[in-house]
Amino acid sequence: MTLLGKRIAVVGSGAVGCYYGGMLAHVGHDVRFLIRSDLDAVRRNGLVIDTKGEVIRLPKVQAFATAEEIGPVDLILIAVKTTANRELERLLPPLIGEHTALLTLQNGLGNEEFLSARWGAERVTGALCFVCINRTEPGVIRHLDHGSISIGEFGKPVSERVRAVAAAFNEATVEARAVDNLAGERWRKLLWNIPFNGLSIAARANVAEVLADDDLRSLARSLMDEGLDAARRLGHDIPDAFADWQIERSASMGPYRSSSMIDFESGRPVEVEAIWGEPLRQGLAAGATMPKLDALYRIVKFLANR
Amino acid sequence: MTLLGKRIAVVGSGAVGCYYGGMLAHVGHDVRFLIRSDLDAVRRNGLVIDTKGEVIRLPKVQAFATAEEIGPVDLILIAVKTTANRELERLLPPLIGEHTALLTLQNGLGNEEFLSARWGAERVTGALCFVCINRTEPGVIRHLDHGSISIGEFGKPVSERVRAVAAAFNEATVEARAVDNLAGERWRKLLWNIPFNGLSIAARANVAEVLADDDLRSLARSLMDEGLDAARRLGHDIPDAFADWQIERSASMGPYRSSSMIDFESGRPVEVEAIWGEPLRQGLAAGATMPKLDALYRIVKFLANR
């Protein structure tokens, strides 16, 4: 199985959608971008991906204003912010044919469940994107660091289609791996996002500031402990040492400002439910007590929505 | 026993010290104010207390620059902010004679213990001030609302000296009552201050905003539950209904901004240890688990000290 010759749609043409879709288009895949605000600029100038210094130009991009113009495809890359998930109810149906697969590149928990409830679990795959990326102007993506992607089925081990997508990304020079336990991988990533994105809003502290302050570093670690307990109750066996390593590796990030912090300070929607609300609900449902996450969630939610 | 003819010193001549000391001076008590920044203004113009519309003028006030000039007194009203407690080690000794009593008018927990450890538990009494008060300019105090004071011994039931101080305040038209369980009263007040002052900093939310937001109101109530548990373990039998009533009565406060919020937004020291740190430590020592207070304390401490 291969993605070559298949139709791919990208829904949500911010930095993530343009980067991952653009890298596939660059090596010859049939990628159709559904674009809202940047449509004219992308039709005129195409996409430019400045990836760690190397500049990839895609002068001709298949850019569409509506999903109806794109029509049914084989694979949909979903890269809208989770706060806009309800818009997918309107955007996805024209793209979905009998065998269309969905791949959410979105953050946090609850996105596979959202897609599954509406279009069937058998269509749903998901990916974690480990990438530092910005949209600097319409159609121009600046890829600063990292970029790897972990792709898995929703609630199932690796499948042939997941391997095919991972292979396509690897051929496009995007480091990709197929993973058996997507939900477990999401929890591993959340162990970091919950405290560091959360404290970047509640305490206005960047990564270096959290690590340098005894109180916040300790709070970050105990939020990780709550997450470890929840993840284990949900069947994801993550060792304590992983949380320790998450703290240690953060030291090299310096005064990194989380995506949530940037969203918050720019007045854009913060992905409150995907990063804090849904992990809290899933953890509580599995019998975990998560009082510190509960407090952090409520404070972040209030600050982000005021 | 009476306070008449006794020497009273006021240490910390902000709004609280000037108001409570000034009301005693107004009815003829021998009150000596230790004043730092406002000394010249008070020496020149005395004190003006605008109390709910009525203006009380004290044109001649005993104002001193140093504790040495005041010398030993019978009673010391302590009204410095708790964040300046270490300065008391320098300010109090010249004021303390063999029988000098100390009355802390300060917020939160730990102040009686601080005084007791240095000058002996037998000297120490404390009071809770329920008052809305401002210093509008040097020597001018604006008393907006409330004003009652609850006075008790440190770790003992009401004594004759506590009754005498309460009587003196009542004669000075400051509603005062003598209380048997000062620490219990402090915990009752903290049940409100912990969530509402805390969320006023961590979530930048005034009282009305906390109450109007389902998430924050619920968080406030569960912080109260943690406080109730701690208080009970420490021997203070506060009923659940008291916490409910604390929430309900807050509705009439409107968009009230806590003193901590005003301090924080003005860049002044916030009484972090007295309001959050010491209750947390006392609760933990008594076997309570206070994870939400722990998280709130660390966030508030970071924000207040950055």
Side-chain angles (χ1 to χ4, degrees), chain A residues 199 201-206 209-210 213-216 218-219 222 226 290-292 294-299 301-303 306, chain B residues 199 201-206 209-210 213-216 218-219 222 226 290-292 294-299 301-303 306:
Chain A
L199 294 175
I201 292 178
R204 318 299 183 269
N206 65 39
E209 289 169 329
V210 170
D213 184 82
D214 286 346
D215 287 293
L216 292 189
S218 168
L219 176 55
S222 57
E226 290 187 355
M290 309 182 85
K292 290 176 183 175
D294 181 284
L296 182 64
Y297 165 58
R298 292 171 192 273
I299 291 170
K301 185 177 173 189
F302 177 82
L303 286 167
R306 72 181 310 174
Chain B
L199 294 174
I201 293 178
R204 313 307 180 266
N206 64 38
E209 289 169 330
V210 170
D213 184 83
D214 286 347
D215 287 294
L216 292 189
S218 167
L219 177 55
S222 58
E226 290 187 355
M290 310 181 85
K292 290 175 184 175
D294 181 284
L296 182 64
Y297 164 59
R298 291 171 194 273
I299 290 170
K301 185 177 172 187
F302 176 82
L303 286 167
R306 72 181 308 172

Side-chain angles (χ1 to χ4, degrees), chain A:
Chain A
M1 186 178 167
T2 167
L3 279 196
L4 283 174
K6 307 267 177 162
R7 288 184 168 191
I8 302 170
V10 176
V11 175
S13 299
V16 168
C18 286
Y19 174 70
Y20 288 102
M23 294 301 281
L24 291 177
H26 181 55
V27 294
H29 291 286
D30 176 358
V31 183
R32 297 157 189 229
F33 294 84
L34 180 61
I35 300 186
R36 196 162 43 185
S37 55
D38 294 354
L39 183 64
D40 289 343
V42 173
R43 280 186 169 159
R44 202 165 45 239
N45 307 319
L47 285 176
V48 177
I49 301 174
D50 179 351
T51 173
K52 305 181 198 178
E54 182 195 356
V55 178
I56 295 174
R57 289 176 197 282
L58 300 160
K60 290 279 183 204
V61 165
Q62 301 185 72
F64 297 86
T66 68
E68 285 76 7
E69 293 168 70
I70 299 178
V73 298
D74 299 293
L75 174 66
I76 308 175
L77 306 189
I78 297 166
V80 299
K81 280 183 78 168
T82 58
T83 50
N85 270 355
R86 296 304 299 267
E87 293 180 34
L88 296 175
E89 295 176 345
R90 179 175 55 79
L91 297 176
L92 290 201
L95 304 174
I96 296 181
E98 196 176 349
H99 301 292
T100 305
L102 312 178
L103 175 62
T104 164
L105 306 176
Q106 299 167 290
N107 287 323
L109 290 191
N111 302 305
E112 286 87 6
E113 289 84 347
F114 178 91
L115 299 173
S116 177
R118 284 157 184 78
W119 296 289
E122 72 285 356
R123 296 187 188 278
V124 180
T125 64
L128 293 92
C129 305
F130 301 89
V131 64
C132 296
I133 208 163
N134 282 319
R135 169 189 161 288
T136 53
E137 56 186 283
V140 181
I141 305 304
R142 183 129 183 261
H143 173 213
L144 299 160
D145 207 357
H146 306 289
S148 74
I149 184 170
S150 296
I151 309 169
E153 288 283 337
F154 173 49
K156 288 184 294 198
V158 164
S159 63
E160 201 192 338
R161 69 177 171 184
V162 157
R163 277 200 203 89
V165 173
F169 275 114
N170 278 312
E171 287 159 20
T173 73
V174 173
E175 187 189 331
R177 64 187 187 113
V179 296
D180 278 322
N181 181 358
L182 179 66
E185 298 292 326
R186 290 216 179 274
W187 273 100
R188 283 176 178 253
K189 188 160 188 280
L190 281 167
L191 285 184
W192 194 90
N193 288 130
I194 286 171
F196 284 95
N197 291 39
L199 294 175
S200 77
I201 292 178
R204 318 299 183 269
N206 65 39
V207 170
E209 289 169 329
V210 170
L211 294 175
D213 184 82
D214 286 346
D215 287 293
L216 292 189
R217 195 179 61 245
S218 168
L219 176 55
R221 189 60 178 77
S222 57
L223 284 161
M224 286 184 174
D225 283 334
E226 290 187 355
L228 280 172
D229 177 53
R232 287 168 188 166
R233 287 169 186 267
L234 290 160
H236 312 303
D237 188 26
I238 308 173
D240 283 338
F242 180 78
D244 297 333
W245 172 79
Q246 286 272 42
I247 295 277
E248 282 160 28
R249 70 157 187 123
S250 305
S252 69
M253 301 174 79
Y256 177 75
R257 299 164 75 245
S258 76
S259 58
S260 302
M261 189 178 196
I262 293 168
D263 284 340
F264 177 65
E265 294 185 349
S266 311
R268 292 193 297 261
V270 175
E271 297 181 296
V272 175
E273 298 308 324
I275 300 179
W276 301 278
E278 190 62 20
L280 175 62
R281 287 186 288 273
Q282 290 194 16
L284 294 178
T289 55
M290 309 182 85
K292 290 176 183 175
L293 173 56
D294 181 284
L296 182 64
Y297 165 58
R298 292 171 192 273
I299 291 170
V300 168
K301 185 177 173 189
F302 177 82
L303 286 167
N305 294 328
R306 72 181 310 174

